[in-house]
């Protein structure tokens, strides 16, 4: 049964990536009807569950919120490391590895972003950017239940990142509530950090769906134009030389 499930997952990823490779331009939305239906569902989940929880979360003391955010970011460093390797960015991979080791030990499991304090800057990446580096196109626009806007390539990359995240294997023998806690905390933290932006967009948009799609692609374009070859590792050693 497990073998069949794995085969189905691999086939599903293949179809998604194939769709990304031959999909139209970035704004291609051939599934708009079903996307809008899922968008309405996600909107209700946000209004009746995610937003109220996020409002409560925002009342936590800032040091507690910062600590939770730092822990969540630290758990993503192994994914950053793996994808930087796959993208051929060895310096960035070493930076991610050093950040994870330093913050997981001296930074109390990531509560304190000690690596940032010694000038080892965070450089997020994911398997979506790996697929982009390998030549896969953005693909069609999708709205995923509980997740929201994704291009087909971005969605395929998200699935792979979940599979390769070591945290999932570390927690595999724990209760379901413990396993899903990091994901829920990440969603609540992200929603709390964008509270005003999301609320204002929903209240002022003539077409909330189209507005979200537009902002999603604007953010994607900004992310893709960022220089992923920053010499983060070199900056770290340069700062040490300046101190000496």
């Amino acid at each position: 049964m497990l073998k069949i499930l794995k085969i189905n997952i691999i086939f599903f990823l293949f179809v998604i990536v194939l769709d990304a490779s031959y999909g139209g331009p970035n704004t291609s939305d051939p599934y708009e009807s079903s996307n809008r239906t899922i968008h309405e569902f996600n909107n209700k989940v946000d209004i009746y569950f995610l937003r109220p929880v996020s409002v409560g979360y925002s009342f936590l003391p800032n040091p507690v919120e910062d600590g939770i955010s730092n822990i969540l970011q630290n758990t993503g460093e192994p994914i950053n490391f793996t994808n930087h390797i796959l993208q051929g960015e060895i310096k960035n991979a070493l930076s991610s590895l050093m950040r994870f080791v330093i913050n997981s030990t001296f930074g109390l499991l990531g509560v304190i972003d000690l690596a940032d304090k010694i000038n080892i800057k965070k450089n997020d990446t994911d398997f979506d950017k790996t697929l982009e580096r390998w030549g896969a196109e953005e693909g069609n626009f999708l709205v995923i239940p509980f997740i929201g806007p994704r291009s087909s390539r971005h969605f395929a990359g998200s699935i792979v990142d979940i599979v390769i995240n070591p945290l999932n294997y570390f927690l595999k023998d724990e209760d379901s509530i413990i396993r899903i806690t990091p994901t829920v905390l990440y969603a609540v933290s992200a929603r709390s950090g964008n509270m005003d932006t999301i609320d204002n967009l929903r209240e002022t948009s003539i077409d909330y769906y189209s507005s979200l799609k537009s902002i999603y692609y604007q953010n994607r374009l900004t992310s893709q134009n960022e220089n992923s070859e920053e010499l983060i590792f070199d900056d770290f050693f340069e700062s040490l030389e300046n101190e000496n």
Side-chain angles (χ1 to χ4, degrees):
M1 184 68 179
L2 183 60
K3 183 177 180 181
I4 295 176
L5 178 61
K6 289 180 178 179
I7 293 174
N8 287 334
I9 291 175
I10 293 172
F11 176 76
F12 175 72
L13 284 173
F14 172 77
V15 171
I16 290 291
V17 174
L18 190 66
D19 175 55
S21 299
Y22 294 98
N26 286 352
T27 56
S28 177
D29 191 2
Y31 314 120
E32 182 173 352
S33 179
S34 58
N35 281 341
R36 284 185 177 275
T37 300
I38 299 172
H39 164 76
E40 290 301 322
F41 169 77
N42 287 347
N43 191 36
K44 287 182 172 57
V45 171
D46 179 70
I47 292 173
Y48 295 112
F49 174 72
L50 188 56
R51 187 184 186 282
V53 173
S54 299
V55 170
Y57 178 87
S58 67
F59 286 107
L60 290 175
N62 288 337
V64 175
E65 281 195 56
D66 291 342
I68 293 174
S69 177
N70 288 340
I71 291 174
L72 293 174
Q73 290 185 40
N74 190 53
T75 60
E77 291 295 357
I79 295 176
N80 291 334
F81 170 79
T82 302
N83 282 293
H84 281 312
I85 290 292
L86 293 174
Q87 295 164 22
E89 298 178 351
I90 305 304
K91 292 178 180 178
N92 286 339
L94 291 175
S95 293
S96 295
L97 180 60
M98 288 188 66
R99 282 184 53 82
F100 182 72
V101 171
I102 292 171
N103 287 342
S104 296
T105 53
F106 301 106
L108 305 177
L109 298 179
V111 174
I112 304 171
D113 191 352
L114 187 60
D116 184 72
K117 298 182 185 300
I118 59 176
N119 208 33
I120 307 180
K121 302 299 181 182
K122 185 175 180 63
N123 189 16
D124 285 325
T125 190
D126 51 29
F127 196 73
D128 169 53
K129 291 183 179 178
T130 298
L131 289 173
E132 179 192 6
R133 184 65 61 87
W134 292 352
E137 298 294 332
E138 190 82 63
N140 295 315
F141 182 70
L142 305 171
V143 180
I144 311 302
F146 300 105
I147 296 176
R150 288 287 190 277
S151 68
S152 50
R153 189 188 68 200
H154 189 186
F155 181 45
S158 298
I159 295 175
V160 174
D161 283 331
I162 291 173
V163 172
I164 67 176
N165 189 349
L167 184 64
N168 294 324
Y169 301 97
F170 180 74
L171 298 176
K172 66 179 182 178
D173 295 327
E174 303 294 336
D175 292 336
S176 297
I177 294 179
I178 296 178
R179 290 201 305 271
I180 68 172
T181 295
T183 302
V184 173
L185 278 176
Y186 182 84
V188 172
S189 177
R191 179 61 173 89
S192 178
N194 294 279
M195 184 73 68
D196 292 338
T197 301
I198 295 174
D199 289 350
N200 289 336
L201 184 67
R202 177 157 46 207
E203 293 172 4
T204 60
S205 295
I206 297 176
D207 185 349
Y208 185 32
Y209 170 84
S210 296
S211 297
L212 279 180
K213 180 170 67 171
S214 176
I215 289 177
Y216 171 76
Y217 278 119
Q218 288 175 22
N219 290 337
R220 298 286 294 157
L221 184 61
T222 300
S223 175
Q224 290 166 3
N225 287 337
E226 288 178 352
N227 183 7
S228 61
E229 296 292 342
E230 295 179 30
L231 300 182
I232 300 174
F233 207 58
D234 289 351
D235 290 343
F236 168 63
F237 286 108
E238 183 178 342
S239 68
L240 291 182
E241 291 174 0
N242 291 337
E243 291 178 2
N244 294 331

